[in-house]
Amino acid sequence: MAKGSASKQCPCTSGRAYAECCGPYHRGAEPPTCEALMRSRFAAFALGEGEYLWKTLHADHPLRARARVEVVRELSRARQTLRYQRLTVHDHDEDGGLEGLLPEGAR
């Protein structure tokens, strides 16, 4: 899929078009739920959206101790060696808040 392609399905496997699914988050909108955040990060890995991955990386994550430009470059290139085929959401909380944790299965 071309990066940011509006007519293609979103790589997060929601079944929705990228432009209506994770695309807005990659362009600056805030994901409203844990599931949306998780899906948008999965899609960002699949598309090489390193800047978004940096932006959504937890403040205490060990990668934050390294230079941003170096980490963004590495995150952007991850799709060259890893395959992001499918994301399976096993459970989610009813309110969809950002405080909960979502188990995820990625293959």
Side-chain angles (χ1 to χ4, degrees):
M1 173 177 0
K3 191 173 180 178
S5 177
S7 63
K8 300 284 185 174
Q9 280 200 338
C10 191
C12 80
T13 66
S14 66
R16 298 171 53 205
Y18 173 75
E20 285 83 42
C21 192
C22 294
Y25 309 132
H26 296 167
R27 292 188 304 274
E30 290 293 322
T33 65
C34 289
E35 181 176 356
L37 177 61
M38 179 184 61
R39 286 186 176 281
S40 68
R41 286 186 52 81
F42 182 89
F45 273 110
L47 296 172
E49 293 280 352
E51 287 288 346
Y52 180 77
L53 292 165
W54 174 265
K55 175 186 166 197
T56 57
L57 195 61
H58 191 277
D60 294 333
H61 194 284
L63 287 177
R64 289 283 186 175
R66 295 176 44 204
R68 184 194 64 78
V69 68
E70 177 184 315
V71 174
V72 167
R73 183 175 33 249
E74 288 177 16
L75 292 172
S76 296
R77 291 180 180 162
R79 73 183 189 139
Q80 295 173 357
T81 56
L82 302 172
R83 293 180 63 200
Y84 299 90
Q85 297 177 329
R86 181 176 9 139
L87 174 70
T88 303
V89 178
H90 296 286
D91 195 11
H92 60 87
D93 52 10
E94 291 302 315
D95 67 2
L98 291 174
E99 295 302 315
L101 296 175
L102 292 175
E104 66 178 273
R107 192 180 103 186

